[in-house]
Amino acid sequence: MLSSSHHAAQHADVVIVGAGVSGLAAAQHLIAAGVTVTVMEAAEDPGGRMATEQTDGFRLDRVGQLLNTSYTELDRTPGLAGLVLRPFAPGVLVHTDGRQLRAGAMTPARALASRSLDQARLSAHLGRLAALPVERLLARPERTAEAALGSRAPATTLRPLLAALLRDPELTTSSRVADLALRTFARGRLAVPEGGAAALPGLLAAGLPPGTVRTGVRVTSVATQRVTTEEHGDFSCRSLVLATGARAAAGLLPGLRMPDFHEVTVIHHATPAPLPWDGSLLLDGDPRWPVAHTAVMSAVDPTRAPAGRSLVSTTVFGPPPPVRTVASRLARLYETATRDWELLAVHHAPEAVPAMPPPYDLRRPVRVLAGLYVCGDHRDANTVQGALHSARRAATAVLRDFGIRLPATAEPVLPAVA
């Protein structure tokens, strides 16, 4: 399926640089429209940041992206029909002041009486956001999520929830992006791909014609009709789509703006025996501790751990903290001893996601000029939904410039929800 062999005929209608989610999705859209495509990837495997490592029967995600069952692009991207999402328990659990509150689960009015005022206010706030049209949200004044928090629902539950959704502990993200993220959260369930994050790009790659994706090919320069590689010669094309991460894209196209990034560390532990847990995502509401959120991932997706053991995956904002500090906090959060937990991996991603400070354009241009296009989560929202949406926008722009008319239903909508 994947090939890094040297072809004599090095031409395609479109060359896509980068075989992450966005590049693979753009290839799917273009090939579905009858265009020939070559995807070039410097790494030995496709998938980019949606990578999953296999260790002793455990499947460990490197960046730990949270998806949502309401992501519309999962249904609109060719090749993803076989994707199985494993949802977390409804809402989230927030550990605050020594107790755990379930927040954000849509609750019947009669059940609200038994909940705290904080929980009830958050549910009402999320319900209002879920019902609002996107255009209304985008018409609100734009500031940082932190500045907007003062006038919104209770901070004790909303702050850790927003930080988790945006991967931004300081809440420097645009308040409009934050509102869209909360609206998406309220309209669906947080989820992960069955089998690990790599299952999603794996499906996209597997659905492409053999030889489309060429791994181990390092691109050194790009132009509208030519791509130069380090060891594989030049490739000619009618159009080029740059689908790398933001830093690599700015390196190949110096005019592109380089965003700041949010740094994330994902820590995986194995338990010697199954850990009883209901599949909830547990947020730590105490900012003095490094844990942002944690879950017994094998309770959400049983394929991620061998029988008889549990996989606990924990996300920390920033660089890796002392392992013992995390273990002692997890003991408190899960109310169980963690001394016999086995540390499986610590994955540090200094550039886990591009930052989205205000003013933020959720539809950053994908068409640089005729024949040259850019897509990725740095062009839309910094989520899997945003990456897929920007890929569809870029593919639509390419096809329009080729004079290929698309059905109205294939045209991207405004904007990608966060």
Side-chain angles (χ1 to χ4, degrees), residues 58 269-275 306-311 337-342:
F58 292 92
H269 287 93
T271 66
L275 192 64
R309 302 184 75 184
S310 288
L311 171 65
T338 56
R339 287 184 300 274
D340 54 356
W341 287 16
E342 177 190 350

Side-chain angles (χ1 to χ4, degrees), residues 29 76 87-88 206-207 270 299 316 391 413:
H29 287 294
R76 303 191 73 157
F88 290 86
V316 169
V413 291

Side-chain angles (χ1 to χ4, degrees), residues 215-370:
T215 56
V217 179
R218 188 172 298 280
V219 172
T220 54
S221 70
V222 298
T224 51
Q225 296 188 327
R226 185 163 300 278
V227 179
T228 303
T229 69
E230 200 168 77
E231 297 176 344
H232 296 77
D234 289 358
F235 289 73
S236 64
C237 54
R238 290 173 63 193
S239 287
L240 179 122
V241 177
L242 198 51
T244 64
R247 180 177 296 281
L252 288 167
L253 279 185
L256 286 184
R257 186 187 67 89
M258 244 293 270
D260 291 327
F261 295 90
H262 296 309
E263 183 178 11
V264 168
T265 300
V266 181
I267 301 165
H268 297 283
H269 287 93
T271 66
L275 192 64
W277 195 251
D278 69 349
S280 290
L281 187 71
L282 175 56
L283 312 187
D284 193 349
D286 189 338
R288 295 171 297 179
W289 290 89
V291 170
H293 56 82
T294 183
V296 181
M297 288 301 295
S298 48
V300 181
D301 174 10
T303 70
R304 296 187 182 223
R309 302 184 75 184
S310 288
L311 171 65
V312 178
S313 297
T314 302
T315 294
V316 169
F317 298 133
V323 168
R324 290 177 66 176
T325 303
V326 174
S328 77
R329 187 56 178 168
L330 292 176
R332 181 73 185 272
L333 293 174
Y334 286 107
E335 299 176 347
T336 187
T338 56
R339 287 184 300 274
D340 54 356
W341 287 16
E342 177 190 350
L343 180 66
L344 294 173
V346 177
H347 293 308
H348 176 222
E351 298 181 355
V353 289
M356 298 186 290
Y360 189 79
D361 182 2
L362 279 156
R363 286 289 295 269
R364 299 188 68 77
V366 291
R367 185 184 187 272
V368 179
L369 48 90

Side-chain angles (χ1 to χ4, degrees), residues 136-191:
R136 290 273 301 278
L137 286 186
L138 295 178
R140 288 179 167 183
E142 188 179 24
R143 44 200 166 155
T144 66
E146 172 67 42
L149 199 59
S151 59
R152 301 288 171 85
T156 50
T157 46
L158 187 55
R159 178 181 295 279
L161 174 59
L162 265 178
L165 295 176
L166 302 171
R167 287 170 284 188
D168 174 13
E170 308 301 324
L171 299 186
T172 57
T173 299
S174 157
S175 57
R176 291 177 183 170
V177 173
D179 281 346
L180 284 169
L182 287 172
R183 181 180 184 272
T184 301
F185 172 76
R187 291 167 72 93
R189 293 259 293 276
L190 293 175

